Amino acid sequence: MTDLQPTPETTGPSDEMIADVFQRGCTSRHALEAVTGRWGVLTVAGLRDGAVRFNALRRRIDGVSEKMLAQTLQGLERDGLVVREVRATIPPHVEYSLTDLGRVVADQLVGLLDVLEGAVPQVVAAQQAYDARTAR
């Protein structure tokens, strides 16, 4: 019996290692969902300027509940976008900040947020036109 040696055909990337956000089980899709959910976008953007304590971030993101922010931060931490740092003080001091990957994602998201905020008059006009057409 001979041992098979790895060949380029057997050591190349497998289907599992090729990221394709359009595939249901792709890790990138899960990360996309975590980042682009309403609270994910605001959390990542809210951390863009540096480390922030939980309650300060919660105040910044108007309308998010404590539970939703905690879940969002945990998901983003699991995906490698956020770092949770606990400082040994009394009481304990916990800060959240972006990883290098998180900063890259935040820069892209902030660009999108800028476009949307700048387009508010167009969005309002489109909504009013749509509502007028469909109110019949």
Side-chain angles (χ1 to χ4, degrees):
M1 184 178 236
T2 61
D3 291 333
L4 294 175
Q5 295 297 316
T7 65
E9 293 81 25
T10 61
T11 59
S14 69
D15 288 341
E16 293 174 5
M17 295 186 333
I18 298 171
D20 182 354
V21 75
F22 291 100
Q23 294 299 312
R24 175 182 8 205
C26 184
T27 301
S28 65
R29 183 184 282 194
H30 171 76
L32 177 69
E33 290 171 357
V35 169
T36 59
R38 172 174 33 170
W39 304 123
V41 169
L42 297 174
T43 300
V44 170
L47 292 171
R48 187 169 179 247
D49 292 333
V52 178
R53 293 183 72 173
F54 183 88
N55 284 328
L57 184 60
R58 188 164 157 234
R59 284 189 298 274
R60 174 104 195 265
I61 305 171
D62 190 26
V64 68
S65 70
E66 186 173 324
K67 179 181 177 183
M68 283 308 305
L69 182 56
Q71 289 176 349
T72 300
L73 285 164
Q74 286 174 344
L76 294 170
E77 182 180 11
R78 183 174 186 270
D79 290 339
L81 292 123
V82 169
V83 173
R84 179 179 185 265
E85 184 180 344
V86 180
R87 298 191 182 181
T89 60
I90 298 176
H93 182 96
V94 179
E95 286 187 341
Y96 294 88
S97 60
L98 296 173
T99 63
D100 290 340
L101 174 60
R103 280 188 284 282
V104 171
V105 171
D107 289 344
Q108 298 296 316
L109 287 175
V110 168
L112 174 61
L113 296 176
D114 289 344
V115 168
L116 291 172
E117 287 176 342
V120 165
Q122 292 168 271
V123 171
V124 169
Q127 290 171 341
Q128 290 171 345
Y130 177 86
D131 292 347
R133 283 193 316 271
T134 59
R136 298 173 189 171

